[in-house]
Amino acid sequence: MQPGLTYTGRALPEAAGHAPCPPDNAQTSSLDGTAPISQAVSVDTPLLSVEDICLSFGGIHALDGVSYDVSRGEILSIIGPNGAGKTSMANIICGLYKPTSGRIAFEGKSRTNLAPQSVAGLGISRTFQNLALFRGLSVIENILVGRHRHMRAGLFGGGLHWGFSRQEELEHRQFVEEIITFLEIEDIRSVPADTLSYGLQKRVELGRALAAEPKLLMLDEPMAGMNGDEKLEMVRFIADANVDLGTTIILIEHDMSVVMDISDHVVVLDHGCKIADGTAEEVASDDSVIKAYMGATE
Ligand SMILES: Nc1ncnc2c1ncn2[C@@H]1O[C@H](COP(=O)(O)OP(=O)(O)OP(=O)(O)O)[C@@H](O)[C@H]1O
């Protein structure tokens, strides 16, 4: 970890009216402008390609021409000071926001402007910054909700226990039990999720996202608000999900020691622009990254 990169959480000024982003010279893929996404399909096709994405809210440029690729099997961290555009990027990938311009491709096919349920159907899951569990439902039931894209009859067609066959229900419950074992939460499987500690609730959220068997898992600040031990455990489960389950992961995270530890690839945003794209070591020594973080602590 670079001492100069320690993040203090102080907000930067609004992105409105910031200078245009400099040209993106960090592109390594077919998205360097020489080939459109639709012609880029091959065995080396990235799992996700983000090309020249812009997003404006009135006069605020939340994202300004951001491009990067996510390779299969990697952990990509998206970092940047407050207001850099990280959550906006996650919201675009999962279909909650529509980009003002630019393209998204998943597995080589153009997927810009899909609705969130269609994005989930492709195999993209996410967790949110704030806890988003179903109050009153047990740990098992909350994780079972994550199976909905695999349920033939739909989860809420008639309630959690209706609408799909006994055999299908057994298969889903068995899969959920495997997730519960993987996350070491066997002892609390029947406990109402909202009565658990914050760290355990975040782990259940991870379980619900993993229950979807995602090809791409987006984790938006999964360690925010956790104590040191909870963070260590969460890092271990994220790394295991990547290695043992083969899940490609996009991690949005402020804790630079975690980012340095766990990431194969780091994209740095600042004021809606991509300012660096490379390995953790490369971005940590990048002058523009150091300047952006120094600016955030001044
Ligand atoms: N729904 C919205 N309406 C208006 N402005 C928005 C909206 N969502 C984001 N913004 C603005 O877009 C910019 C980027 O915000 P975003 O939340 O994506 O940044 P971030 O990097 O995730 O920040 P943080 O680390 O604080 O979560 C900010 O200036 C923010 O105020």
Side-chain angles (χ1 to χ4, degrees):
M1 180 181 173
Q2 298 286 309
L5 294 184
T6 304
Y7 184 69
T8 64
R10 269 186 56 186
L12 285 174
E14 289 287 359
H18 70 79
C21 297
D24 181 358
N25 296 320
Q27 283 300 109
T28 53
S29 74
S30 59
L31 298 181
D32 59 4
T34 59
I37 283 171
S38 58
Q39 294 173 13
V41 183
S42 79
V43 285
D44 298 325
T45 298
L47 183 63
L48 182 83
S49 292
V50 171
E51 185 183 9
D52 207 15
I53 287 288
C54 295
L55 176 70
S56 298
F57 298 103
I60 297 171
H61 302 296
L63 293 166
D64 192 355
V66 175
S67 302
Y68 59 90
D69 288 341
V70 185
S71 301
R72 288 165 203 272
E74 75 174 357
I75 296 181
L76 164 72
S77 289
I78 301 180
I79 65 170
N82 282 134
K86 305 179 293 296
T87 296
S88 297
M89 178 54 73
N91 286 342
I92 284 177
I93 292 170
C94 75
L96 284 175
Y97 289 171
K98 304 294 170 212
T100 312
S101 61
R103 289 157 297 280
I104 302 273
F106 189 68
E107 299 188 301
K109 294 191 180 124
S110 181
R111 302 294 188 183
T112 318
N113 292 325
L114 286 186
Q117 59 271 29
S118 303
V119 173
L122 293 175
I124 300 178
S125 289
R126 77 174 287 186
T127 63
F128 291 84
Q129 267 181 41
N130 300 317
L131 282 169
L133 292 172
F134 289 96
R135 296 175 67 83
L137 292 191
S138 68
V139 167
I140 291 180
E141 289 166 336
N142 263 287
I143 297 177
L144 193 57
V145 171
R147 295 293 297 161
H148 73 278
R149 88 174 174 100
H150 299 283
M151 291 176 181
R152 282 191 289 277
L155 183 66
F156 293 112
L160 266 176
H161 304 283
W162 308 340
F164 50 102
S165 73
R166 178 82 185 136
Q167 179 58 32
E168 192 186 353
E169 178 180 349
L170 282 175
E171 285 167 15
H172 290 305
R173 285 188 176 268
Q174 191 175 345
F175 190 88
V176 167
E177 286 296 338
E178 287 172 23
I179 297 283
I180 284 173
T181 304
F182 175 77
L183 293 175
E184 300 169 11
I185 47 178
E186 298 94 330
D187 294 350
I188 55 163
R189 58 156 69 73
S190 301
V191 173
D194 55 320
T195 63
L196 298 171
S197 69
Y198 181 78
L200 282 175
Q201 289 194 50
K202 294 299 279 188
R203 209 187 300 177
V204 175
E205 270 193 339
L206 175 63
R208 188 174 60 194
L210 287 174
E213 296 178 78
K215 295 173 184 169
L216 176 64
L217 173 61
M218 275 192 298
L219 303 172
D220 194 349
E221 298 192 33
M223 276 146 298
M226 285 189 175
N227 64 36
D229 288 344
E230 290 172 333
K231 274 190 189 181
L232 279 176
E233 286 191 321
M234 184 56 91
V235 169
R236 178 165 63 87
F237 289 122
I238 292 170
D240 285 353
N242 176 245
V243 173
D244 298 348
L245 307 181
T247 312
T248 304
I249 293 173
I250 295 180
L251 174 67
I252 296 175
E253 184 51 52
H254 278 304
D255 187 322
M256 294 303 293
S257 61
V258 169
V259 169
M260 291 294 135
D261 211 26
I262 203 175
S263 312
D264 300 301
H265 176 189
V266 181
V267 165
V268 189
L269 301 179
D270 186 30
H271 288 103
C273 302
K274 185 179 87 172
I275 60 169
D277 183 340
T279 65
E281 292 72 26
E282 284 166 352
V283 303
S285 57
D286 187 296
D287 286 345
S288 56
V289 176
I290 293 167
K291 196 170 152 204
Y293 275 88
M294 298 276 280
T297 59
E298 275 168 8

